[in-house]
Coordinates of all heavy atoms in Angstrom, one line a residue:
S10 N -21.5 -8.0 1.5 CA -21.8 -6.8 0.5 C -20.5 -6.4 -0.3 O -19.4 -6.5 0.2 CB -22.3 -5.7 1.2 OG -23.5 -5.9 1.9
R11 N -20.6 -6.0 -1.6 CA -19.7 -5.8 -2.5 C -20.0 -4.3 -3.1 O -21.1 -4.0 -3.4 CB -19.4 -6.8 -3.6 CG -19.0 -8.1 -3.0 CD -19.0 -9.2 -4.0 NE -18.5 -10.4 -3.5 CZ -19.4 -11.4 -3.1 NH1 -20.6 -11.0 -2.9 NH2 -18.9 -12.5 -2.5
L12 N -18.8 -3.7 -3.3 CA -19.1 -2.2 -3.9 C -18.6 -2.2 -5.3 O -17.5 -2.8 -5.7 CB -18.2 -1.3 -3.0 CG -18.5 0.2 -3.1 CD1 -19.9 0.6 -2.8 CD2 -17.5 1.1 -2.5
T13 N -19.4 -1.6 -6.1 CA -19.2 -1.5 -7.5 C -19.3 -0.1 -8.0 O -20.1 0.7 -7.3 CB -20.2 -2.2 -8.4 OG1 -20.2 -3.5 -7.9 CG2 -19.9 -2.2 -9.8
A14 N -18.3 0.4 -8.9 CA -18.2 1.8 -9.3 C -18.3 1.9 -10.7 O -17.6 1.2 -11.4 CB -16.9 2.4 -8.8
S15 N -19.1 2.8 -11.3 CA -19.3 3.0 -12.7 C -18.9 4.6 -12.9 O -19.7 5.4 -12.2 CB -20.6 2.8 -13.2 OG -20.8 3.0 -14.6
Q50 N -28.3 -3.0 -2.8 CA -28.8 -2.5 -1.4 C -28.8 -1.1 -1.4 O -29.8 -0.5 -0.7 CB -27.8 -3.0 -0.3 CG -27.7 -4.6 -0.3 CD -26.7 -5.0 0.7 OE1 -25.8 -4.2 1.1 NE2 -26.7 -6.2 1.1
S51 N -28.0 -0.2 -2.0 CA -28.1 1.2 -2.1 C -27.1 1.6 -3.3 O -26.3 0.9 -3.7 CB -27.6 1.8 -0.8 OG -26.3 1.5 -0.4
A52 N -27.4 3.0 -3.6 CA -26.6 3.6 -4.7 C -26.5 5.0 -4.4 O -27.5 5.6 -4.0 CB -27.2 3.4 -6.1
V53 N -25.3 5.5 -4.5 CA -25.1 7.0 -4.4 C -24.2 7.6 -5.4 O -23.6 6.8 -6.1 CB -24.3 7.2 -2.9 CG1 -25.1 6.5 -1.7 CG2 -23.0 6.6 -3.0
L54 N -24.1 9.0 -5.5 CA -23.5 9.6 -6.3 C -22.3 10.2 -5.7 O -22.3 10.7 -4.6 CB -24.2 10.7 -7.1 CG -25.3 10.4 -7.9 CD1 -26.2 11.7 -8.3 CD2 -25.0 9.5 -9.1
T55 N -21.1 10.3 -6.4 CA -19.8 10.9 -5.9 C -19.0 11.5 -7.1 O -19.6 11.2 -8.3 CB -18.9 9.9 -5.0 OG1 -18.0 10.7 -4.4 CG2 -18.5 8.8 -5.8
R56 N -18.1 12.0 -6.7 CA -17.1 12.5 -7.8 C -15.8 11.8 -7.7 O -15.1 11.7 -6.6 CB -16.9 14.0 -7.5 CG -16.1 14.7 -8.7 CD -16.0 16.2 -8.6 NE -15.3 16.8 -9.6 CZ -15.6 17.0 -10.8 NH1 -16.9 16.7 -11.2 NH2 -14.9 17.7 -11.8
G57 N -15.3 11.2 -8.8 CA -14.1 10.3 -8.7 C -14.3 9.0 -8.1 O -15.4 8.7 -7.5
L58 N -13.3 8.2 -8.0 CA -13.4 7.0 -7.3 C -13.6 7.1 -5.7 O -13.0 8.1 -5.3 CB -12.2 5.9 -7.5 CG -12.1 5.6 -9.1 CD1 -10.8 4.8 -9.1 CD2 -13.2 4.7 -9.4
P59 N -14.3 6.2 -5.2 CA -14.5 6.3 -3.7 C -13.1 6.2 -3.0 O -12.3 5.4 -3.4 CB -15.4 5.2 -3.2 CG -15.4 4.3 -4.5 CD -15.0 5.2 -5.6
M60 N -12.9 7.2 -2.0 CA -11.6 7.2 -1.3 C -10.4 7.5 -2.1 O -9.4 7.1 -1.8 CB -11.4 6.0 -0.5 CG -12.7 5.4 0.5 SD -13.0 6.7 1.6 CE -11.6 6.9 2.7
Q61 N -10.6 8.2 -3.2 CA -9.6 8.6 -4.1 C -9.1 10.1 -3.6 O -9.8 11.0 -3.6 CB -10.0 8.7 -5.5 CG -8.8 9.0 -6.4 CD -9.3 9.1 -8.0 OE1 -10.5 9.7 -8.2 NE2 -8.6 8.5 -8.8
V62 N -7.9 10.1 -3.1 CA -7.4 11.4 -2.5 C -7.0 12.4 -3.7 O -6.4 12.1 -4.8 CB -5.9 11.2 -1.7 CG1 -5.4 12.5 -1.2 CG2 -6.3 10.1 -0.7
G84 N -7.7 15.1 0.6 CA -9.1 15.4 0.5 C -9.9 14.4 -0.3 O -9.3 13.8 -1.2
F85 N -11.1 14.3 0.1 CA -12.1 13.4 -0.6 C -13.3 14.2 -1.2 O -13.7 15.0 -0.3 CB -12.5 12.1 0.2 CG -11.4 11.3 0.6 CD1 -11.3 10.9 1.9 CD2 -10.5 10.7 -0.2 CE1 -10.4 10.1 2.4 CE2 -9.6 9.9 0.2 CZ -9.4 9.5 1.5
W86 N -14.0 13.8 -2.2 CA -15.2 14.4 -2.5 C -16.3 13.3 -1.9 O -16.2 12.1 -2.2 CB -15.4 14.5 -4.0 CG -14.5 15.6 -4.5 CD1 -13.5 15.4 -5.5 CD2 -14.7 17.1 -4.4 NE1 -12.9 16.6 -5.8 CE2 -13.5 17.6 -5.2 CE3 -15.4 17.8 -3.7 CZ2 -13.4 18.9 -5.1 CZ3 -15.2 19.1 -3.7 CH2 -14.2 19.7 -4.3
A87 N -17.4 13.9 -1.3 CA -18.4 13.0 -0.8 C -19.7 13.8 -1.0 O -19.8 15.0 -1.4 CB -18.2 12.9 0.7
G88 N -20.7 12.9 -0.8 CA -22.1 13.4 -0.9 C -23.0 12.7 -0.1 O -22.7 11.9 0.8
P89 N -24.4 13.0 -0.1 CA -25.4 12.2 0.7 C -25.3 10.8 0.6 O -25.1 10.1 -0.6 CB -26.8 12.7 0.2 CG -26.2 14.1 -0.4 CD -25.0 13.9 -1.0
G90 N -25.1 10.0 1.7 CA -25.0 8.5 1.6 C -23.8 8.0 1.5 O -23.6 6.7 1.6
Y91 N -22.7 8.9 1.2 CA -21.4 8.4 1.2 C -20.9 7.6 2.2 O -20.3 6.4 2.1 CB -20.5 9.6 0.7 CG -19.0 9.3 0.4 CD1 -18.7 9.0 -1.0 CD2 -18.0 9.2 1.4 CE1 -17.4 8.7 -1.3 CE2 -16.7 8.9 0.9 CZ -16.5 8.7 -0.3 OH -15.0 8.3 -0.6
F92 N -21.0 8.0 3.5 CA -20.4 7.4 4.6 C -21.2 6.0 4.9 O -20.6 5.1 5.4 CB -20.5 8.4 5.8 CG -19.6 9.5 5.6 CD1 -20.0 10.7 5.1 CD2 -18.2 9.4 5.9 CE1 -19.3 11.9 4.9 CE2 -17.3 10.6 5.7 CZ -17.7 11.8 5.1
D93 N -22.5 6.1 4.8 CA -23.2 4.9 5.0 C -22.8 3.8 4.0 O -22.7 2.6 4.2 CB -24.8 5.2 4.8 CG -25.3 6.0 6.0 OD1 -24.6 5.9 7.1 OD2 -26.3 6.7 5.9
M94 N -22.8 4.3 2.8 CA -22.3 3.4 1.6 C -21.0 2.6 1.9 O -20.8 1.4 1.8 CB -22.1 4.0 0.4 CG -21.6 3.3 -0.8 SD -22.6 2.0 -1.4 CE -23.8 2.9 -2.3
L95 N -20.0 3.4 2.4 CA -18.6 2.9 2.6 C -18.5 2.4 4.1 O -17.4 1.9 4.6 CB -17.5 3.9 2.5 CG -17.5 4.5 1.0 CD1 -16.4 5.5 0.9 CD2 -17.3 3.2 0.0
R96 N -19.6 2.5 4.8 CA -19.6 2.0 6.2 C -18.5 2.6 7.1 O -17.7 2.0 7.8 CB -19.5 0.4 6.4 CG -20.6 -0.3 5.7 CD -20.6 -1.8 5.6 NE -21.8 -2.2 5.0 CZ -21.9 -3.5 4.8 NH1 -20.9 -4.4 5.0 NH2 -23.0 -4.2 4.2
I97 N -18.5 4.0 6.9 CA -17.5 4.8 7.8 C -18.4 5.4 9.0 O -19.2 6.3 8.7 CB -16.8 5.9 6.9 CG1 -16.1 5.2 5.9 CG2 -15.9 6.7 7.9 CD1 -15.4 6.3 5.0
P98 N -18.1 5.0 10.3 CA -19.1 5.5 11.2 C -18.7 7.1 11.6 O -17.5 7.5 11.3 CB -18.6 4.6 12.5 CG -17.1 4.1 12.1 CD -17.2 4.0 10.6
I99 N -19.6 7.7 11.9 CA -19.5 9.2 12.5 C -19.2 9.1 13.9 O -20.2 8.6 14.7 CB -20.8 10.0 12.1 CG1 -21.0 9.9 10.6 CG2 -20.5 11.4 12.6 CD1 -19.9 10.5 9.8
A104 N -22.8 13.5 9.1 CA -22.2 13.2 7.9 C -22.6 14.3 6.8 O -23.6 15.2 7.2 CB -22.5 12.0 7.3
I105 N -22.1 14.3 5.8 CA -22.4 15.3 4.8 C -23.9 14.8 4.0 O -23.9 13.6 3.8 CB -21.4 15.4 3.6 CG1 -20.2 16.0 4.0 CG2 -22.0 16.2 2.4 CD1 -18.9 15.9 3.1
V118 N -16.0 17.0 6.8 CA -16.0 15.8 7.9 C -14.4 15.5 7.8 O -13.8 15.3 6.7 CB -16.8 14.7 7.4 CG1 -16.5 13.5 8.4 CG2 -18.3 15.1 7.4
V154 N -14.7 11.3 11.7 CA -14.7 9.9 11.5 C -13.4 9.2 11.9 O -12.3 9.9 11.8 CB -15.1 9.7 10.0 CG1 -16.5 10.2 9.7 CG2 -14.0 10.2 9.0
P155 N -13.4 7.9 11.9 CA -12.2 7.2 12.2 C -11.1 7.3 11.1 O -11.5 7.6 9.9 CB -12.5 5.8 12.3 CG -14.0 5.9 12.8 CD -14.5 6.9 11.9
D156 N -9.9 7.1 11.3 CA -8.9 7.1 10.3 C -9.1 5.9 9.4 O -9.6 4.7 9.8 CB -7.4 6.9 10.9 CG -7.1 8.1 11.7 OD1 -7.7 9.3 11.5 OD2 -6.2 8.0 12.5
T157 N -9.0 6.1 8.1 CA -9.2 5.1 7.1 C -8.1 5.0 6.2 O -7.3 5.9 6.0 CB -10.5 5.3 6.3 OG1 -10.4 6.5 5.5 CG2 -11.7 5.5 7.4
G158 N -8.1 4.0 5.3 CA -7.2 3.8 4.1 C -7.8 4.6 3.0 O -8.8 5.3 3.1
T159 N -7.1 4.5 1.9 CA -7.5 5.3 0.6 C -7.7 4.3 -0.5 O -7.6 3.1 -0.3 CB -6.5 6.4 0.2 OG1 -5.4 5.7 -0.3 CG2 -6.0 7.2 1.4
A160 N -8.1 4.7 -1.6 CA -8.2 3.9 -2.8 C -6.8 3.5 -3.3 O -6.8 2.5 -4.2 CB -9.0 4.6 -4.0
D161 N -5.8 4.0 -2.8 CA -4.5 3.6 -3.3 C -3.7 2.9 -2.2 O -3.1 3.5 -1.2 CB -3.7 5.0 -3.5 CG -2.3 4.7 -4.1 OD1 -2.0 3.5 -4.4 OD2 -1.5 5.7 -4.3
L173 N -7.0 13.2 6.8 CA -7.9 13.2 5.8 C -9.3 14.0 6.1 O -9.6 14.3 7.2 CB -8.3 11.7 5.4 CG -7.3 10.8 5.1 CD1 -7.7 9.5 5.0 CD2 -6.4 11.2 3.7
F174 N -9.8 14.7 5.0 CA -11.0 15.3 5.2 C -11.8 15.2 3.9 O -11.5 14.9 2.9 CB -10.9 17.0 5.4 CG -10.3 17.6 4.3 CD1 -11.1 18.3 3.3 CD2 -9.0 17.7 4.0 CE1 -10.7 18.9 2.2 CE2 -8.3 18.3 3.0 CZ -9.3 19.0 2.0
Y175 N -13.2 15.2 4.2 CA -14.2 15.1 3.2 C -15.0 16.4 3.0 O -15.5 16.9 4.0 CB -15.1 13.9 3.6 CG -14.5 12.6 4.0 CD1 -13.9 12.6 5.2 CD2 -14.5 11.4 3.2 CE1 -13.3 11.4 5.7 CE2 -14.0 10.3 3.5 CZ -13.3 10.2 4.9 OH -12.7 9.0 5.1
R176 N -15.3 16.7 1.8 CA -16.1 17.9 1.5 C -17.2 17.7 0.4 O -16.9 16.6 -0.4 CB -15.2 19.1 1.1 CG -14.3 18.8 0.0 CD -13.4 20.0 -0.3 NE -12.4 19.7 -1.2 CZ -11.8 20.6 -2.1 NH1 -12.3 21.8 -2.1 NH2 -10.8 20.3 -2.9
F178 N -19.0 17.8 -2.9 CA -18.7 18.3 -4.3 C -19.9 19.3 -4.8 O -19.7 20.1 -5.6 CB -18.6 17.2 -5.3 CG -19.7 16.1 -5.4 CD1 -20.8 16.4 -6.2 CD2 -19.9 15.0 -4.5 CE1 -21.9 15.7 -6.3 CE2 -21.0 14.2 -4.7 CZ -22.1 14.5 -5.6
T187 N -19.5 9.7 -10.7 CA -19.3 8.2 -10.3 C -20.7 7.9 -9.7 O -21.2 8.5 -8.9 CB -18.2 7.8 -9.5 OG1 -17.0 8.5 -10.1 CG2 -18.0 6.5 -9.1
V188 N -21.0 6.6 -10.0 CA -22.2 6.0 -9.3 C -21.6 4.8 -8.6 O -21.1 3.9 -9.2 CB -23.3 5.6 -10.3 CG1 -24.5 5.0 -9.6 CG2 -23.8 6.8 -11.2
L189 N -21.9 4.8 -7.3 CA -21.6 3.7 -6.4 C -22.7 2.8 -6.1 O -23.7 3.4 -5.7 CB -20.8 4.2 -5.2 CG -19.7 5.0 -5.3 CD1 -19.2 5.5 -3.8 CD2 -18.6 4.4 -6.1
A190 N -22.5 1.5 -6.1 CA -23.6 0.6 -5.8 C -23.2 -0.4 -4.9 O -22.0 -1.1 -4.9 CB -24.1 0.0 -7.0
L191 N -23.8 -0.7 -3.8 CA -23.6 -1.8 -2.7 C -24.5 -3.0 -3.1 O -25.6 -2.8 -3.1 CB -23.6 -1.3 -1.5 CG -23.3 -2.1 -0.2 CD1 -21.7 -2.3 -0.3 CD2 -23.7 -1.5 1.2
T192 N -24.0 -4.1 -3.3 CA -24.7 -5.2 -3.5 C -24.3 -6.5 -2.7 O -23.2 -6.5 -2.3 CB -24.7 -5.7 -4.9 OG1 -25.4 -6.8 -5.3 CG2 -23.2 -6.0 -5.4
K220 N -16.0 -0.9 -12.9 CA -15.3 -2.0 -12.1 C -15.7 -2.2 -10.6 O -16.3 -1.1 -10.1 CB -13.7 -1.8 -12.2 CG -13.2 -0.5 -11.5 CD -11.7 -0.4 -11.5 CE -11.3 -0.3 -13.0 NZ -9.8 0.0 -13.1
T221 N -15.5 -3.2 -10.1 CA -15.6 -3.4 -8.6 C -14.5 -2.8 -7.9 O -13.4 -2.5 -8.4 CB -15.7 -4.9 -8.2 OG1 -14.4 -5.4 -8.4 CG2 -16.7 -5.7 -9.1
M222 N -14.8 -2.5 -6.7 CA -13.8 -1.8 -5.8 C -12.7 -2.7 -5.5 O -11.5 -2.3 -5.3 CB -14.3 -1.2 -4.5 CG -15.1 0.0 -4.6 SD -14.1 1.4 -5.4 CE -12.6 1.4 -4.3
T223 N -12.9 -4.0 -5.4 CA -11.9 -4.9 -5.4 C -10.9 -4.8 -6.6 O -9.7 -4.9 -6.4 CB -12.5 -6.4 -5.2 OG1 -13.2 -6.5 -4.1 CG2 -11.2 -7.6 -5.1
S225 N -10.5 -2.1 -8.4 CA -9.7 -1.0 -8.4 C -8.7 -1.0 -7.3 O -7.5 -0.5 -7.6 CB -10.8 0.2 -8.0 OG -10.3 1.4 -7.8
L226 N -8.9 -1.6 -6.2 CA -7.8 -1.7 -5.2 C -6.6 -2.6 -5.6 O -5.6 -2.2 -5.5 CB -8.4 -2.2 -3.9 CG -9.4 -1.3 -3.2 CD1 -10.0 -2.0 -2.0 CD2 -8.8 0.0 -2.7

Side-chain angles (χ1 to χ4, degrees):
S10 298
R11 299 173 177 86
L12 194 63
T13 304
S15 180
Q50 298 174 344
S51 61
V53 300
L54 298 176
T55 186
R56 185 173 178 84
L58 292 176
M60 305 305 291
Q61 184 178 45
V62 178
F85 300 127
W86 293 114
Y91 185 88
F92 295 93
D93 290 336
M94 168 72 73
L95 298 182
R96 297 178 178 175
I97 301 175
I99 303 297
I105 294 171
V118 174
V154 296
D156 294 339
T157 65
T159 70
D161 182 10
L173 301 170
F174 67 95
Y175 307 76
R176 52 182 172 151
F178 59 86
T187 306
V188 180
L189 302 179
L191 187 67
T192 178
K220 60 180 67 175
T221 67
M222 280 308 299
T223 299
S225 180
L226 293 175

